[in-house]
């Protein structure tokens, strides 16, 4: 089974990214991939790893010692495959199921604030890539999302959105995956989505299924601090509830390099990563 899935992921090929700056001051240009070697030297600190294998009492534990747990809200629930003939979870035996109607999970505070370098990642499979924009992960402020990873209905593609200020009408940086469409096969493994923000390099990088084909650099006007907890399955600002399955949620302070992102995208949980 995994051989078939692994072949599908390899078939995605290189991921092309485009950077849309809207009203953002400054310029953007494609950066030489050699810059990633400098960024990889930034020390990493894992703030959260939620494998979503269980949620006793509605609380999904954090593997990271003293890390914040995820609290399930609405009708969110953890699916656990107890039958070898049953539907497989996205990774290992369990995953988070959301119906898109007021369901989400969240930490009580932000595991990473966004005022410095950070890495966020999750595997997600939408129930349907339809006419509803749906957010997989977000870090909210009071009036805007510091960052959101979402399915954009207008384009039918995955994208990352960064608000340059904590204001409702703030300019946004948008990074869109241009080639592979979201995998909404109900028997598939979805897509692994990872965002790296490298503050010293002024780089925002979006990886899909462990692949990065292009890196864009913009003037750094986005280093404000998120004030709310990590949201899984919604934007606390705009709603945009996610209907589908989420697994393997991770948060790091610092910059994960391409090798580490590739390891995160594996179809086996890696608690020591």
């Amino acid at each position: 089974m995994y051989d078939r899935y692994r072949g599908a992921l390899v078939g995605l090929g290189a991921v092309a990214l485009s950077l849309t700056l809207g009203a953002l001051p400054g310029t953007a240009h494609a950066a030489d991939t050699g810059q990633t070697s400098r960024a990889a030297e930034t020390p990493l600190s894992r703030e959260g790893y939620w494998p979503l294998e269980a949620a006793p009492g509605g609380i999904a534990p954090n593997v990271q010692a003293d890390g914040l747990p995820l609290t399930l809200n609405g009708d969110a629930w953890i699916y656990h495959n107890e039958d070898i003939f049953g539907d497989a979870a996205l990774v290992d035996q369990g995953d988070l199921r959301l119906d898109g109607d007021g369901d989400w999970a969240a930490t009580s505070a932000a595991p990473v604030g966004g005022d410095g370098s950070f890495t966020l990642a999750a595997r997600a499979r939408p129930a349907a890539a339809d006419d509803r924009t749906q957010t997989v992960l977000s870090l909210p402020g009071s009036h805007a999302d510091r960052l959101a990873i979402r399915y954009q209905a207008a384009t039918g593609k995955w994208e990352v959105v960064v608000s340059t200020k904590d204001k409702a009408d703030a300019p946004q940086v948008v990074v869109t995956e241009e080639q592979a469409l979201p995998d909404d096969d109900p028997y598939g493994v979805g897509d692994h989505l990872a965002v790296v923000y490298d503050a010293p390099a002024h780089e925002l990088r979006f990886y899909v299924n462990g692949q990065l084909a292009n890196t864009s650099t913009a003037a750094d006007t986005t280093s404000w601090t998120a004030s709310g907890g990590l949201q899984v399955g919604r934007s606390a600002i705009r709603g945009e509830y996610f209907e589908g399955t989420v697994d393997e949620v991770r948060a790091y302070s610092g910059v994960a390099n391409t090798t580490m992102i590739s390891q995160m995208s594996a179809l086996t949980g890696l608690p020591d990563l």
Side-chain angles (χ1 to χ4, degrees):
M1 178 178 65
Y2 282 145
D3 287 341
R4 175 167 62 86
Y5 293 153
R6 189 176 296 109
L9 292 174
V10 171
L12 289 173
V15 179
L17 303 180
S18 67
L19 181 64
T20 303
L21 292 181
L24 177 66
T27 59
H29 63 276
D32 185 272
T33 54
Q35 291 192 16
T36 58
S37 61
R38 184 215 59 77
E41 296 173 1
T42 303
L44 272 178
S45 173
R46 189 175 74 178
E47 308 300 336
Y49 170 41
W50 301 270
L52 298 170
E53 293 292 299
I59 305 295
N62 190 337
V63 171
Q64 181 63 34
D66 300 322
L68 297 166
L70 281 168
T71 299
L72 275 56
N73 295 274
D75 295 326
W77 63 289
I78 297 294
Y79 167 78
H80 198 269
N81 182 16
E82 304 287 355
D83 184 352
I84 61 173
F85 298 106
D87 293 339
L90 289 186
V91 177
D92 293 339
Q93 296 300 112
D95 54 34
L96 176 66
R97 302 293 170 102
L98 304 165
D99 67 11
D101 185 20
D103 297 350
W104 79 98
T107 58
S108 59
V112 292
D115 52 343
S117 299
F118 64 86
T119 301
L120 289 175
R123 181 170 289 278
R125 182 181 65 200
D130 54 21
D131 59 353
R132 296 175 302 114
T133 296
Q134 303 175 51
T135 294
V136 177
L137 296 178
S138 66
L139 280 174
S142 298
H143 306 287
D145 283 322
R146 172 68 182 85
L147 174 141
I149 306 174
R150 67 186 186 181
Y151 164 74
Q152 173 55 257
T155 62
K157 299 172 182 177
W158 292 119
E159 70 178 18
V160 176
V161 182
V162 173
S163 296
T164 58
K165 298 179 181 179
D166 192 7
K167 295 183 178 180
D169 58 351
Q172 294 180 326
V173 175
V174 181
V175 182
T176 304
E177 186 209 331
E178 293 292 350
Q179 292 185 345
L181 297 177
D183 177 9
D184 59 357
D185 180 349
Y187 302 104
V189 294
D191 294 301
H192 187 265
L193 311 170
V195 175
V196 173
Y197 180 64
D198 186 342
H202 310 308
E203 284 186 356
L204 180 70
R205 306 177 196 133
F206 184 28
Y207 296 78
V208 179
N209 296 319
Q211 300 294 316
L212 175 67
N214 186 35
T215 301
S216 296
T217 302
D220 180 11
T221 59
T222 59
S223 294
W224 56 274
T225 305
S227 57
L230 176 66
Q231 308 291 303
V232 180
R234 73 163 186 172
S235 163
I237 305 299
R238 298 182 306 273
E240 298 178 351
Y241 289 94
F242 186 75
E243 181 181 1
T245 307
V246 181
D247 208 352
E248 292 291 297
V249 178
R250 292 177 177 269
Y252 299 81
S253 295
V255 175
N257 62 24
T258 54
T259 298
M260 190 170 179
I261 296 294
S262 179
Q263 292 173 328
M264 289 182 199
S265 68
L267 294 175
T268 302
L270 300 172
D272 295 328
L273 186 62

